[in-house]
Structures are given as structure tokens and as C-alpha cells.
Amino acid sequence: MPDSLPADSVGIVTPQTYHFDEPIDLACGQTLPSYDLVVETYGQLNADASNAVLICHALSGHHHAAGYHSKEDRKPGWWDSCIGPGKPIDTNRFFVVALNNLGGCHGSTGPNSLNPATGKQYGPDFPVVTVSDWVKSQALLADRLGIDTWAAVVGGSLGGMQALQWSLDYPDRLKHAVVIASTPRLTAQNIAFNEVARQSITTDREFHGGRYYDHNVVPRRGLMLARMVGHITYLSDASMGEKFGRELRNQAYTFGYDAEFQVESYLRYQGERFSETFDANTYLLMTRALDYFDPAYDHGGDLSKALAEASCEFLVVSFSTDWRFAPERSEELVNAMIGARRKVSYAEIDAPWGHDAFLIPTPRYTDVFHAYMDRIAREVGA
Amino acid sequence: MRPDLDIIQQWIRPGYHVLDLGCGDGTLLDYLQRERGASGFGLEINPDHITTCMGRGVAVIEQNLDTQGLGNFDDGSFDVVLMTQALQAVRRPDKVLDEMLRVGREGIVTFPNFAHWRLRWGLALSGRMPESDALPYKWYNTPNIRLCTFKDFEALCRQKGIRITSRRVVDGQHQNSWLARLWPNLLGEIAIYRITRENEQ
């Protein structure tokens, strides 16, 4: 944390755990008898509970979206650039809810939680959850928090998929869905990258079929490789070029295979750090949830038909250099919304940072986000 | 409201599904939504305009007519397609007109008249490309790359079998003067056309 708290920060925040005792039926056919969801909230819920905004996280995200947990925190929450007093998701006006999704590894029930049936960690026995399952658990959380209708459900990437799924599964329970840097379904290339990530984890000798907890080891190499390949897809060629170019760590080639280029050492560092904090089974589960997401599937591949069930308004935002979920994917989504006569606004933001751009507050992105959220705030009297 | 928009809004029936090509800051759509119960979308490429639209609750799509066309809109999916002061700025106005009347039952088009007497006079006297309040650019930086006269537009409509169901000609102050009615191609500065491919009922 900086020496003094920035004026536009939500400040020091403390996560809360909500325990659910009612079993939840999942898309895979299995049932979780009980589970925990870890949640952070920012701002105040107004008297008629009309100003609540749900933040849905992406692959490696969690409930800590804004502010600091303590003065010792080096970095704020993952979306601190967009959540806070006076920021696009203005905590002076909105009551913001961020959670760690089911299957996560930051406190909500997931593969590294204890399985009440065995007394051991779930590991590979934890069911594969889907975007729809997450939305269902988020709706139960909303019930618990006394929120009947969200002013908006907001998310980037995999989070955007949850916002979209909300509009289909609970059309009456949200006014707006904000879908940023997302896609209505993964392409073969997207799935291919996920498969490389999964293979690198599952073929790690320390993986032990997902029961590495029992062996007191972690498939660190596999998780590291998975993160490295994932990280490449989050950046653009140009942004990597600008950040690293062909810069060497030392003056000259060493004619060996150590990390000689800066980009190599960066990726290794990112991968290593990630492997220390993230659970391999959760990574498998999250990538599978991404692969399976396809709301048009049940409607013969017709996304417009799927969207006919939605009644909220949509904001869709894409970024020019995002090749993971390219602007064309957002346009596909927008066109289906137009076909279904849903009210949608769309902007393609010119930004050099690839998929990661949704986390970086470029002026136009901030303007668009601000204008749209400001209008929602006025609409709900926040 | 801009006077040409004021004329247009009178032609929009309650509940119409409207597509506004080059919707600017969304003034017209905003008004139509609130006062006419209309729905629909605006297409725009200017970032500031897009932001303003979003802030006022107008559904705006960032889409470039020249490069992306209207291929993402289904046939006959709108009651009316509007294009105010933008026809002269697209690369192929003829194709845009075709597309307007493919996705909409009716089109409303406004553009500045290049045969207005002041422009004719300016060109005749100075021998330089004319400028006016409606066309305030230099020849080399103007976005208005396809200027035409009312007669040109009407000839194109005839050639394409597009029916003009109404025409309002106004002067610079958007007054519908009797002189402009008498000699539109000479005295009218801006025309507002309603066009359709549907047969007369």
C-alpha cells in the first residue's frame, strides 16, 4: 500500500465467508451438499437495495477486487483501477459485491477444500462447475445479501461470460449486464491453449492424478508452464515488444538455454509466482468452465434465440489488440443481441495491451465505462 | 433540437424500431425513446459521441458504415432507418441507400444541397471550392466526399426504383420558406427526404 491511502481507494477491506448449507445441484449432475463463498463488499446498500453491482472474476481472479487487506499489501485488488470512490464503478453510489467463485482457491469451496464425505481435500473429486453453476451460486448469495435485483452484473473475460449467463438464467434479477473483453464461446484456438495448459499440469510428475495434497507436493512446474502460455495470450505482440523487445539480461548470447532474453525471465517469474499461490485443480476447473461456455448450444447454435430470454440492457466492450477474445467475438455477441432486439451498446477501445487491456484504465475505456455506470446510477437513484 | 431533427421526429410513429446511421450524440434517438416510445440503435464512430450516447441511455454501436456496412442487420428489421447529414460523407452513398431500404421499411435522409445558389455563386465568382455554414470545410480536409444536389439525389432514386414519399426543403435556418419550395435546387440548403421501396398503399 502507498504511505497514505489514495482518495479514490475503497481503503482497507476485510473478506467475509458465507456458508451455505442447502445442497446445490450442478450442471454435471452432481450435488455439493454445502459450500462456502468468500465475499468482499464495497460501498453501502441503499434502502431499497437497488444499487447493488456484482463483480464476476476471470480465470485467476477472486473476491479481492479493490482496496487493500492491510497496510502491508503491496498491491490493491485486481480491479482497483475501476472500483472505488469516483471510479467507473463508483463506491459512493453503488454497493459492490465481489466473490471468489465455487471451485476457486482463495477461500470459497473448491478442490483444495475438505470433502465432508472423506475428511480429505476434494482434489479431482471436486465436480467440474460451469458458468451457469457459478451464476446459480451467485444468485443464492444475492438472496443472502437481500439483493433481489442487481443494478448491474459486470465482468471481464470469463467474468463477462458470467454477466451474460446472468441475463439468460435470471433475466428479472438484473437491470444491466456489462460484458468486457469476452466472447459468447471459445474458439478452437482458445480451447487449444487451454488444453496445453491442462496437459502441462496433468503430466507434471507431482500431479498425482490431482491428489497432490495427499503427497504434500504441488505440480509447480506444470502450473508454471500453464500460466506462462496463458500469460502470452493475455498480452499483444506489440505490448510484449514494447516491454521487452529482444532485450537480453546480459550483454551477449551465452549459447545456452537459460533465460537469456528479458521476456523469458519475465514469463518464468510470472509463472513461478503464480504456481506458489494458485491451485492446479482450480486452474483445470476454470479452463474447463471456459471451454464449456456456449449459451447458444441449447438453441441449435443460434445465439439470438438464446438471448431472446434476456431482458436486461447490455454494454459490450472489446479491445483492438485483444487476440484471445478478439473484437470480432464481441461483435458476434452484439449482433446476436441486435437480432434478438435487446438493447445493447458497444465500443471497441483502441488499446495496445491485448486481452489484459480490460484491467488497465485507458482514458477512453474509463470514459465509456464511467458514462454507462453513471447512467445506471441515475436510473436506480444511487 | 436541431430543426431538421425536429422535422424528422414528427414522422416517427409511436413504438417504431429505429436505426440511426451516424447518430451523433444521440439527441434524436433519446427524444424518440422518451417522447415516441421508439426503440432502436444508433451507429457512430466518434468516440465522444459514443460516450455521450451511453451516458444518456441511447443504445449505440461503434460501427463504421464504410468498412463494416450494415451486413449485421437483418432484412426488414427496422421500421425506419435514419441518416442525417451523413450521406455525403460515406464512400458509396448509392450502396448505403440500398442497405438502408433492405434493413428498414422506410428511410429518412438529410443532406446539404451542393446546388444552393450561394455555393453556385461562390464557385462562379471566386473559382474556388465553395464553403458555407452547412459545408464549413476546405476541399482537402472535408469529410463530405460525396456532395450532390437535390436533383442528383432524386435522379439516383429514380434510377434505383426508390420512391420518394416526402421531401422537405429548408434554408440555413431550417425555415421552410415559400421561395425554397418554389426553387428547391437553387434556394434550398438542406433537404429531408422520406424514401421507400414499398408500393403505395
Side-chain angles (χ1 to χ4, degrees):
Chain A
M1 207 184 98
D3 288 341
S4 65
L5 214 54
D8 60 356
S9 169
V10 298
I12 304 282
V13 293
T14 309
Q16 284 194 355
T17 302
Y18 289 83
H19 181 72
F20 293 81
D21 261 330
E22 314 77 23
I24 183 169
D25 294 331
L26 304 170
C28 63
Q30 295 190 53
T31 300
L32 268 185
S34 66
Y35 54 95
D36 289 340
L37 292 177
V38 178
V39 179
E40 277 181 18
T41 67
Y42 323 111
Q44 297 293 321
L45 188 63
N46 63 8
D48 57 353
S50 64
N51 69 335
V53 171
L54 176 66
I55 307 295
C56 303
H57 70 75
L59 202 159
S60 59
H62 42 66
H63 54 281
H64 185 38
Y68 300 84
H69 282 159
S70 74
K71 290 197 163 168
E72 284 69 48
D73 270 5
R74 271 194 321 117
K75 281 182 171 179
W78 59 270
W79 219 8
D80 196 78
S81 60
C82 291
I83 304 169
K87 289 178 184 171
I89 300 172
D90 189 344
T91 49
N92 288 332
R93 308 172 84 181
F94 292 115
F95 176 64
V96 180
V97 178
L99 78 158
N100 184 213
N101 277 327
L102 221 47
C105 55
H106 293 90
S108 291
T109 300
N112 64 358
S113 307
L114 284 186
N115 181 350
T118 63
K120 284 180 165 182
Q121 283 162 302
Y122 277 102
D125 299 332
F126 194 85
V128 173
V129 294
T130 65
V131 170
S132 239
D133 293 330
W134 285 332
V135 167
K136 192 189 230 181
S137 65
Q138 291 159 1
L140 293 164
L141 174 66
D143 294 342
R144 182 74 67 87
L145 296 171
I147 296 158
D148 181 59
T149 308
W150 300 101
V153 177
V154 182
S157 192
L158 177 56
M161 295 176 181
Q162 292 159 59
L164 180 58
Q165 192 70 47
W166 259 97
S167 75
L168 309 177
D169 291 351
Y170 299 95
D172 302 331
R173 296 196 68 178
L174 74 165
K175 292 249 166 62
H176 295 265
V178 179
V179 182
I180 302 172
S182 195
T183 175
R185 68 176 77 83
L186 260 57
T187 61
Q189 190 192 48
N190 294 146
I191 296 170
F193 275 115
N194 283 348
E195 172 58 6
V196 173
R198 281 190 295 266
Q199 280 291 317
S200 61
I201 290 171
T202 55
T203 57
D204 186 316
R205 240 189 307 161
E206 310 278 41
F207 184 62
H208 297 289
R211 299 197 190 278
Y212 44 88
Y213 318 106
D214 303 345
H215 297 79
N216 283 320
V217 291
V218 171
R220 192 153 294 163
R221 290 222 69 74
L223 200 49
M224 177 183 153
L225 283 174
R227 181 59 170 182
M228 282 170 79
V229 72
H231 204 96
I232 295 168
T233 69
Y234 303 150
L235 305 176
S236 70
D237 190 17
S239 64
M240 274 183 130
E242 195 182 320
K243 203 165 177 178
F244 308 108
R246 294 180 48 83
E247 206 182 313
L248 295 169
R249 295 178 66 207
N250 300 308
Q251 300 294 325
Y253 295 154
T254 63
F255 296 93
Y257 299 106
D258 232 2
E260 284 191 54
F261 291 91
Q262 286 293 2
V263 65
E264 293 175 288
S265 104
Y266 170 81
L267 278 180
R268 288 184 189 192
Y269 173 74
Q270 291 292 333
E272 270 163 21
R273 242 190 33 189
F274 187 75
S275 70
E276 286 156 14
T277 55
F278 209 82
D279 181 71
N281 283 317
T282 289
Y283 202 87
L284 297 179
L285 178 151
M286 294 278 171
T287 56
R288 207 37 131 190
L290 275 163
D291 293 353
Y292 284 167
F293 181 71
D294 184 6
Y297 185 79
D298 290 335
H299 299 265
D302 188 337
L303 191 57
S304 266
K305 264 193 198 152
L307 281 157
E309 288 163 25
S311 59
C312 70
E313 294 183 26
F314 294 93
L315 171 64
V316 178
V317 178
S318 70
F319 297 91
S320 55
T321 57
D322 183 353
W323 59 278
R324 183 180 173 89
F325 298 151
E328 289 75 20
R329 302 283 77 73
S330 285
E331 283 160 23
E332 202 178 300
L333 179 58
V334 168
N335 290 341
M337 289 169 178
I338 291 169
R341 286 206 177 193
R342 297 294 79 113
K343 197 168 172 182
V344 52
S345 285
Y346 171 63
E348 182 190 319
I349 310 292
D350 213 356
W353 293 287
H355 188 58
D356 262 357
F358 85 90
L359 297 165
I360 299 166
T362 38
R364 188 173 174 223
Y365 174 35
T366 310
D367 285 351
V368 161
F369 206 175
H370 230 297
Y372 197 86
M373 294 308 295
D374 180 59
R375 176 213 152 197
I376 297 176
R378 275 184 278 121
E379 217 174 68
V380 300
Chain B
M1 196 183 326
R2 224 168 65 195
D4 55 334
L5 303 185
D6 190 44
I7 292 170
I8 293 169
Q9 61 88 8
Q10 297 164 27
W11 289 340
I12 306 298
R13 295 210 196 123
Y16 256 23
H17 197 47
V18 180
L19 180 62
D20 189 351
L21 308 179
C23 66
D25 64 8
T27 304
L28 181 59
L29 274 174
D30 182 37
Y31 179 86
L32 294 176
Q33 279 175 190
R34 283 186 292 109
E35 303 298 324
R36 290 278 187 282
S39 59
F41 303 97
L43 301 194
E44 188 49 65
I45 50 171
N46 176 311
D48 293 334
H49 284 333
I50 290 170
T51 305
T52 307
C53 285
M54 287 177 179
R56 63 178 4 160
V58 166
V60 61
I61 311 283
E62 181 164 345
Q63 185 167 334
N64 188 326
L65 269 177
D66 276 338
T67 56
Q68 295 166 283
L70 292 177
N72 53 330
F73 295 95
D74 290 338
D75 294 3
S77 50
F78 292 91
D79 296 302
V80 61
V81 181
L82 313 175
M83 195 169 192
T84 62
Q85 308 283 12
L87 189 74
Q88 76 281 358
V90 297
R91 217 179 293 158
R92 289 297 298 267
D94 55 336
K95 295 199 166 153
V96 169
L97 285 174
D98 284 337
E99 278 294 273
M100 282 177 82
L101 294 179
R102 177 184 67 78
V103 304
R105 291 194 294 108
E106 188 186 12
I108 297 178
V109 181
T110 82
F111 59 88
N113 177 21
F114 203 62
H116 184 258
W117 68 270
R118 222 179 282 127
L119 298 177
R120 298 191 198 197
W121 187 244
L123 179 61
L125 274 192
S126 69
R128 306 278 304 269
M129 281 301 282
E131 293 167 30
S132 71
D133 290 343
L135 297 166
Y137 298 96
K138 299 287 180 197
W139 65 272
Y140 47 81
N141 65 6
T142 180
N144 303 314
I145 54 170
R146 293 288 185 259
L147 289 160
C148 69
T149 72
F150 296 167
K151 276 189 179 174
D152 288 328
F153 179 77
E154 288 170 24
L156 177 64
C157 287
R158 260 197 310 281
Q159 184 196 319
K160 286 186 161 297
I162 292 171
R163 206 157 57 80
I164 295 169
T165 54
S166 326
R167 182 187 73 185
R168 292 278 287 276
V169 175
V170 294
D171 63 21
Q173 278 68 53
H174 296 84
Q175 300 299 313
N176 191 355
S177 74
W178 64 273
L179 276 169
R181 274 201 298 276
L182 205 56
W183 292 293
N185 205 41
L186 186 64
L187 300 176
E189 276 197 85
I190 290 168
I192 305 150
Y193 285 91
R194 288 176 84 173
I195 55 174
T196 185
R197 279 197 194 281
E198 290 181 353
N199 294 322
E200 240 158 317
Q201 283 143 12

